[in-house]
Amino acid sequence: NMALVPAIANRAVGGKSFEKKKELLFSKAEPFHFSLLVNKYDTWLKSDIEDRQRHLAAVAKRVWRIDVQ
């Protein structure tokens, strides 16, 4: 799993296709904001996951910035 979703919802979609999972899990209000960003992808290939990982890393650097003097 590369996106946070409630465990019960994750079990419910099981081995469904990415398109079906996207429809069922990320088309509604999602308690995990960054999981909604999955909607921008048409596929969920290694390159898509790496792109999302770069985006999340950039956000993390801004949020958890450490000022060193």
Side-chain angles (χ1 to χ4, degrees):
N1 293 331
M2 297 291 164
L4 295 174
V5 295
I8 195 162
N10 192 46
R11 280 191 298 275
V13 296
K16 293 184 180 1
S17 70
F18 174 68
E19 282 299 317
K20 194 65 175 169
K21 286 180 181 181
K22 200 166 98 166
E23 175 189 328
L24 295 170
L25 295 175
F26 306 115
S27 63
K28 303 174 184 118
E30 168 63 42
F32 305 108
H33 169 74
F34 286 106
S35 292
L36 286 176
L37 298 175
V38 170
N39 281 318
K40 87 174 210 172
Y41 297 97
D42 294 324
T43 59
W44 199 238
L45 304 173
K46 181 180 178 189
S47 59
D48 301 314
I49 294 167
E50 289 170 344
D51 178 68
R52 183 168 181 270
Q53 188 175 20
R54 280 189 293 277
H55 172 75
L56 293 175
V59 171
K61 283 173 62 176
R62 287 194 312 268
V63 171
W64 291 300
R65 189 180 65 174
I66 299 174
D67 293 323
V68 179
Q69 297 184 11

